[in-house]
Amino acid sequence: WVVTSTARCLAASGARLRLSEELCVSGIDPAVELAARCAACFTDLVTDVKVVDTAPWVDFTEVRRKGGDYRATLGRNTRQAISRAIRLYAERGVVEHRVMETPSEASAAFDELIDFHKSRWGRKGPFANPGFCAFHEDLIRQGVPTGAVRISRTLVGDRTIGILYNFVHQGHVLNYQSGFFYEQDGRLKPGLVS
C-alpha cells in the first residue's frame, strides 16, 4: 500500500515536469526507489539511480555511556587526521564551533554555505535554483526559533571553515547539507573538524 501511494504521489509530481526538467529524490529506501521506478513507467520518464549508499549515523547516547569521547570511536588514521588539522588550524587562531541562535545569524551562515557549495560544485548544485533557496530561507526563518533547524559554523579565528545545516526531530539531529572552505593543503580537513 505504501509503495502504491508513494508511486501515485511521485507519478503526479512527474506528470507536471517539462521535458527539460528532472525530479531528484535522494535519501530514499528500496521501497521508495521501487515506487519511483513505477511512477517513471507510468509517466514515460527515465529513472537513474546515481548512488546507492547507506547513511552513517552515530548514537551519542552510547558514546556518552562509554565516556563521551566521540573521537575515540573513530579509526586511528581519522583521529590522527583530525588532530593534525586542528593543530594546523590552531596556528592561525582559535578553533571554535558555534550554533547560530537567531534566524538572521542562520540566514547569513546559509548564504556562506551556498558560496562554499558553489565554489566546490559550480552551478550544478541545488543552489542554482532560486526557488530552492527561497524555500530554505523561509524554512530557516521559521525553523531556527523552534529548534527544528540548526545551522552551525566552525571558525578559525574570524574565518569560517565550515557550515553545517541540520534538522532536529524527536531528539535526532539529521544532517541535511554542508559547505566547507577548502584549501590547497590537503592536511586541512574542514569537514572532519566541523
Side-chain angles (χ1 to χ4, degrees), residues 71 75-88 187-189 192-193:
R71 270 203 257 175
R76 181 176 175 261
N77 290 343
T78 303
R79 288 193 314 270
Q80 287 177 341
I82 292 170
S83 294
R84 180 178 54 231
I86 289 173
R87 204 171 39 254
L88 291 170
R187 299 173 302 165
L188 297 172
K189 308 284 186 193
L192 286 174
V193 170

Coordinates of all heavy atoms in Angstrom, one line a residue, residues 71 75-88 187-189 192-193:
R71 N 35.6 11.1 19.4 CA 36.8 10.8 18.5 C 37.4 9.4 18.8 O 37.9 8.8 17.9 CB 37.9 11.8 18.7 CG 37.7 13.0 17.8 CD 39.0 13.7 17.6 NE 38.9 14.9 18.3 CZ 39.9 15.8 18.5 NH1 41.1 15.5 17.9 NH2 39.8 16.9 19.1
G75 N 38.4 5.6 13.7 CA 39.7 4.8 13.4 C 40.9 5.7 13.7 O 40.9 6.9 13.7
R76 N 42.0 5.0 13.8 CA 43.3 5.6 14.2 C 43.7 6.7 13.2 O 44.0 7.8 13.6 CB 44.4 4.6 14.3 CG 45.7 5.1 14.7 CD 46.7 3.9 14.9 NE 48.0 4.4 15.1 CZ 49.0 4.5 14.2 NH1 48.8 4.1 13.0 NH2 50.2 5.0 14.5
N77 N 43.6 6.4 11.9 CA 44.0 7.4 10.9 C 43.1 8.6 10.9 O 43.6 9.7 10.7 CB 44.0 6.7 9.5 CG 45.1 5.7 9.3 OD1 46.1 5.7 10.1 ND2 45.0 4.9 8.3
T78 N 41.8 8.4 11.1 CA 40.9 9.5 11.1 C 41.2 10.4 12.3 O 41.2 11.6 12.2 CB 39.4 9.0 11.1 OG1 39.2 8.2 10.0 CG2 38.5 10.2 11.1
R79 N 41.4 9.8 13.5 CA 41.7 10.6 14.7 C 43.0 11.4 14.4 O 43.1 12.6 14.8 CB 41.9 9.6 15.9 CG 40.6 9.0 16.4 CD 40.8 8.4 17.8 NE 42.0 7.5 17.9 CZ 42.1 6.2 17.7 NH1 41.0 5.6 17.2 NH2 43.2 5.5 17.8
Q80 N 44.0 10.8 13.8 CA 45.3 11.5 13.6 C 45.0 12.6 12.6 O 45.6 13.7 12.8 CB 46.3 10.5 13.0 CG 46.9 9.6 14.1 CD 47.9 8.6 13.5 OE1 47.9 8.4 12.3 NE2 48.7 8.0 14.4
A81 N 44.3 12.4 11.6 CA 44.0 13.5 10.6 C 43.3 14.7 11.2 O 43.6 15.8 11.0 CB 43.2 12.9 9.4
I82 N 42.3 14.4 12.1 CA 41.6 15.4 12.8 C 42.5 16.2 13.7 O 42.5 17.4 13.7 CB 40.4 14.9 13.6 CG1 39.3 14.3 12.6 CG2 39.8 15.9 14.5 CD1 38.2 13.5 13.3
S83 N 43.3 15.5 14.5 CA 44.2 16.1 15.4 C 45.2 17.0 14.7 O 45.5 18.2 15.1 CB 45.0 15.1 16.3 OG 44.1 14.4 17.1
R84 N 45.8 16.5 13.6 CA 46.7 17.3 12.8 C 46.1 18.5 12.2 O 46.6 19.6 12.3 CB 47.3 16.4 11.7 CG 48.3 17.2 10.8 CD 49.0 16.4 9.7 NE 47.9 15.8 8.9 CZ 47.9 14.4 8.6 NH1 48.8 13.6 9.1 NH2 46.9 14.0 7.9
A85 N 44.8 18.4 11.7 CA 44.1 19.5 11.1 C 43.8 20.6 12.2 O 44.0 21.8 11.9 CB 42.8 19.1 10.4
I86 N 43.4 20.2 13.3 CA 43.1 21.1 14.4 C 44.4 21.8 14.8 O 44.4 23.0 15.1 CB 42.4 20.4 15.6 CG1 41.0 20.0 15.2 CG2 42.4 21.3 16.8 CD1 40.3 19.2 16.3
R87 N 45.5 21.1 14.9 CA 46.7 21.7 15.3 C 47.2 22.8 14.3 O 47.6 23.9 14.6 CB 47.8 20.6 15.4 CG 49.0 20.9 16.3 CD 49.9 19.7 16.6 NE 50.1 18.8 15.5 CZ 49.6 17.6 15.4 NH1 48.8 17.1 16.3 NH2 49.9 16.8 14.3
L88 N 47.0 22.4 13.0 CA 47.4 23.4 11.9 C 46.4 24.6 11.9 O 46.9 25.7 11.7 CB 47.3 22.7 10.5 CG 48.4 21.6 10.3 CD1 48.1 20.8 9.0 CD2 49.8 22.3 10.2
R187 N 46.1 18.5 4.2 CA 46.1 18.2 5.7 C 45.0 18.9 6.4 O 44.7 18.5 7.5 CB 47.5 18.4 6.3 CG 48.6 17.6 5.7 CD 50.0 18.1 6.2 NE 50.2 19.5 6.0 CZ 51.1 20.2 6.6 NH1 51.9 19.7 7.5 NH2 51.2 21.5 6.3
L188 N 44.6 20.0 5.9 CA 43.5 20.7 6.5 C 42.2 20.0 6.1 O 41.9 19.8 5.0 CB 43.5 22.2 6.0 CG 44.7 23.0 6.3 CD1 44.7 24.3 5.6 CD2 44.8 23.2 7.8
K189 N 41.4 19.7 7.1 CA 40.2 18.9 6.9 C 39.0 19.7 7.5 O 38.5 19.4 8.6 CB 40.3 17.6 7.6 CG 41.5 16.8 7.3 CD 41.4 16.1 6.0 CE 42.6 15.2 5.7 NZ 42.7 14.8 4.3
L192 N 36.0 17.3 8.5 CA 36.2 16.5 9.7 C 36.3 17.3 10.9 O 35.7 17.0 12.0 CB 37.5 15.7 9.6 CG 37.5 14.5 8.6 CD1 38.9 13.9 8.5 CD2 36.5 13.4 9.1
V193 N 36.9 18.5 10.8 CA 37.0 19.4 12.0 C 35.6 19.9 12.4 O 35.2 20.0 13.5 CB 38.0 20.5 11.8 CG1 37.9 21.6 12.8 CG2 39.4 19.9 11.6

